[in-house]
Every structure is written in C-alpha cells, then in structure tokens.
Amino acid sequence: HYSDSLMHLTWPGLMLLFSLMRLGIWHQRNLHPDKYRPEQWFTRYALTTAIMGLAWGSVFFLPFINTDLILYGALLMLMFAVTASAVLVLSVSLPVFVSYTLPMMVCFSLAAYYREPTASFYFIAASLIYYGMLFSMARTFNQRLMASLKLESENQLLIKKLEKEAKERESLIEERTRALKDSENRLRIVISCAELGYWDWYYQTGVHEVNDRWLEMLGLTRSDIKNSVDDWAERIHPDDKERMTKIVQNAIKTRTPYVADFRMKHKNGEWTWIQGAGALIESDPVSGMPIRLCGTHQDITVRKALEQELEFRARRDSLTGLYNRSEMEKYFMKELERSSRYNRDLSMFLID
C-alpha cells in the first residue's frame, strides 16, 4: 500500500536481471572456457558481483523504506544475513567478497545518514566494526582454503607421480617376466635389482620359498618362516584372504597372471599393503595339474595411505573433517529409501 505495483517490481526486476547476467557468465565459461583468458573471466565475474552488491544495497533507497521502521529493520537484518553468508560463499576470492559486500554497506550507510544524520553516526560506526569482523573472517577462510587447495594440488601431483612410477614398475616387471621365463637365475637377478619380494610356490608339496626382500617387507627373518605356503596364508588379512584365494585359484584355472592388492601382517603387528603379482609357470603336461607358481610382492603402503587421504578429502570437509554435502546427501537418500521400503516414519534433528 506504499506505492504502485510498478515500483514493487523495480527492485526484484533488477535482482533478476543481474542474477541472469552472473548465470550467463557462468554458462559461457562452461561452454567456451578458452574464449577469454582466466583473468578476463575473473574480471567479468567480479564486476557482475559488484553490481549484484549494489542491487542489494539499492533497496535502502526505495521511497517507501523510510516510512516503515519494521520494514527497514527487516531489510537491515536481511542485509546482515546476506553479507554474513558471503563469508562462506565468496571468501575464495577476497576481491570478489569485497566487491559484493562493500557496496551494500556503503548504500546502507548513506541511506542511514540520509534518514537521520545526527543519530546515524553510532549506527554506521557499529556497522563498520561488523564489516571489519566479516572481512577478517573472510580473510581467515581464504587463507585456510588456499592452503587446503595447495595441499590438495600437491597431493594430486604426488599421487599421479606414484601411480606413474607404479605403472612403469608394473610394466617393467611384466616385460622382464615374459622375457626371462626360461631363465630362473636371470629372473631372480632382475627382481633383486628392482627391490621386489619374490616367492616360489611348489603347489603339490606346499613348499614356499622367498627372497630376502620378501622378508624385509614384513620385518621377518629366515627363522620366522616355515618355507611353506602357510607363511603367506597365516599373515594375510582376514578380510582379504578369501578374495585372494579365489584370485590365485582363478589364475591357476585360466593359466593367466594376476595382479592384486592385499594386506599382510608385519612382525610389529601393523598391516602392510602389498601389491602381489603371480602366475602359474609349470603344470603337468598330461593331467594339467599345477606344479609351480612364481610371483612378486611390492610394498605399496605409502601409496595406499595417499589414496585413503585423497578419498577422505573427497568425502569430508577440509576444515572440520565432517562429511561434506555430497556424502550427507547420499546418506540421507539411503535413509529415505529405507524409510519408504519399510513404510516407517523418518525423523531428523537439525541442531544449530
């Protein structure tokens, strides 16, 4: 009842227009990322963000605002909420954060001064203190986020490097194994140079021979083993034992090599991640019964730790260590499906 409908539509129209401009830039960036240089994309984004901040602040200059204290107070609370939310949303770039929030504070200060010049000083001063707190929080978030992104980038590079080295080593092992099948002595020399654990399993008798590197990976000595296949079977992790047994049996049945990751118990009680490779190299020509298998062990504990760290960072918030939104959505959808499946009510607590 303060003004006509055209005036009511002015401010929402501006907000919609500038929102569509930001959305358009985002869409163009996805479709044609090479159309402009990164700094040009950033400039356009920062400019539209600043215009959006001006649009938010312009609400205090609408003619009917100053006639209603309740409406004025509600809009003031809305502005504080919008600027506070910008700390989390825009603190990835401090210039963008400032270009978005500063116009709101300036517009509010000017409008407050215009409304009541004599009484606005303390109000404006309090708002500036509030804005200083917001900027300090945004700067802290920015520093932590940049540090997190840097660490994640370094981890990605390290993981790629380790994966490349692992692939190169696996390729080298396969190449050398194929080339040296007919020469056991040369094979042992190659494996020793590559610092791989070597095992030789006589399937019918159960005799299981290993080299020194195989023992070193588990902190063992010759006196700790029985030279039987139980040296492997008794130390493999219970959760991996059934799976590895099936893999080995399938390799025997299909006469094909295998490569698999599993855990073995170190002498100190910890679990060591092993990448095992093996193949059936000798079988009875008449009955086809397996006679001898050979293979290698490689310690990949460090690589597994990096993979677990990467998975942790993909599922959890880097600041708090809590599940991130994507993980929570998966969990919530699972609970919704279970509730629907059993036709039960579902309650959820949100604690602020």
Side-chain angles (χ1 to χ4, degrees):
H1 61 280
Y2 290 113
S3 61
D4 56 24
S5 58
L6 179 61
M7 182 61 70
H8 288 165
L9 294 176
T10 300
W11 186 71
L14 287 174
M15 297 297 294
L16 176 61
L17 174 62
F18 297 137
S19 296
L20 291 176
M21 288 175 59
R22 284 162 52 87
L23 183 62
I25 291 178
W26 171 79
H27 185 61
Q28 286 296 316
R29 174 66 177 83
N30 287 338
L31 289 180
H32 310 291
D34 298 326
K35 185 177 181 180
Y36 300 107
R37 296 191 305 273
E39 56 269 24
Q40 291 177 317
W41 283 116
F42 178 80
T43 300
R44 284 166 171 76
Y45 175 72
L47 180 60
T48 53
T49 303
I51 295 175
M52 197 71 181
L54 284 172
W56 272 110
S58 66
V59 69
F60 293 102
F61 295 101
L62 295 180
F64 56 86
I65 297 301
N66 294 327
T67 61
D68 190 334
L69 288 177
I70 296 179
L71 179 58
Y72 189 87
L75 290 174
L76 187 61
M77 293 178 63
L78 177 62
M79 186 198 69
F80 286 155
V82 171
T83 53
S85 67
V87 173
L88 293 178
V89 178
L90 299 178
S91 59
V92 66
S93 171
L94 288 180
V96 172
F97 172 81
V98 173
S99 68
Y100 181 70
T101 56
L102 188 58
M104 298 186 214
M105 301 302 298
V106 172
C107 289
F108 161 71
S109 299
L110 292 175
Y113 181 80
Y114 173 78
R115 176 184 176 88
E116 189 63 50
T118 58
S120 61
F121 174 79
Y122 297 104
F123 205 22
I124 294 174
S127 300
L128 292 177
I129 294 174
Y130 166 76
Y131 185 75
M133 293 170 59
L134 285 183
F135 181 80
S136 177
M137 291 175 62
R139 183 173 59 183
T140 301
F141 279 20
N142 176 267
Q143 292 172 348
R144 292 181 178 179
L145 182 59
M146 291 300 103
S148 175
L149 291 175
K150 181 180 179 181
L151 178 60
E152 184 175 352
S153 176
E154 292 174 350
N155 287 342
Q156 289 282 359
L157 293 175
L158 181 58
I159 290 174
K160 288 181 180 179
K161 181 180 179 181
L162 290 175
E163 289 177 346
K164 181 180 179 181
E165 292 178 355
K167 289 180 180 179
E168 291 175 351
R169 185 169 292 186
E170 291 169 4
S171 176
L172 180 63
I173 293 172
E174 293 176 0
E175 178 182 349
R176 291 180 175 179
T177 301
R178 288 193 299 267
L180 303 176
K181 279 185 177 180
D182 58 343
S183 178
E184 179 179 348
N185 185 47
R186 292 176 60 191
L187 177 61
R188 290 181 182 275
I189 295 175
V190 169
I191 291 176
S192 175
C193 293
E195 294 186 350
L196 297 171
Y198 174 81
W199 54 268
D200 197 346
W201 179 16
Y202 294 86
Y203 189 83
Q204 300 298 328
T205 62
V207 174
H208 186 266
E209 299 176 349
V210 297
N211 65 352
D212 292 339
R213 179 56 184 159
W214 192 97
L215 296 172
E216 290 173 5
M217 292 181 185
L218 303 177
L220 302 174
T221 61
R222 291 290 171 184
S223 60
D224 295 321
I225 62 174
K226 299 176 288 188
N227 288 328
S228 75
V229 72
D230 291 336
D231 295 332
W232 173 80
E234 292 176 355
R235 290 175 174 83
I236 192 169
H237 196 285
D239 295 340
D240 298 334
K241 189 171 185 178
E242 181 178 356
R243 174 175 59 87
M244 287 304 304
T245 300
K246 290 181 179 180
I247 290 176
V248 173
Q249 293 301 324
N250 183 69
I252 295 174
K253 181 179 179 180
T254 60
R255 302 295 197 272
T256 57
Y258 73 87
V259 177
D261 299 344
F262 54 92
R263 290 159 290 182
M264 292 189 70
K265 194 169 188 178
H266 195 276
K267 190 175 182 178
N268 61 14
E270 298 179 353
W271 293 103
T272 301
W273 273 100
I274 299 294
Q275 184 174 78
L280 178 68
I281 64 169
E282 184 179 356
S283 59
D284 190 287
V286 178
S287 64
M289 294 292 291
I291 296 178
R292 187 180 177 197
L293 292 88
C294 292
T296 60
H297 280 183
Q298 180 182 359
D299 188 345
I300 59 171
T301 304
V302 174
R303 192 183 80 187
K304 282 293 183 179
L306 289 173
E307 291 175 355
Q308 291 172 358
E309 175 66 16
L310 181 61
E311 180 183 2
F312 179 89
R313 292 183 176 274
R315 299 175 58 195
R316 294 178 180 267
D317 173 63
S318 60
L319 179 63
T320 63
L322 301 176
Y323 283 131
N324 57 23
R325 173 173 178 162
S326 174
E327 197 66 20
M328 288 300 296
E329 285 179 348
K330 292 178 183 178
Y331 179 83
F332 190 59
M333 292 306 299
K334 186 182 297 183
E335 292 300 316
L336 283 175
E337 291 172 359
R338 182 162 61 177
S339 173
S340 176
R341 183 165 64 249
Y342 294 107
N343 193 27
R344 294 176 178 174
D345 293 338
L346 175 64
S347 299
M348 180 177 69
F349 287 91
L350 177 63
I351 302 176
D352 188 344

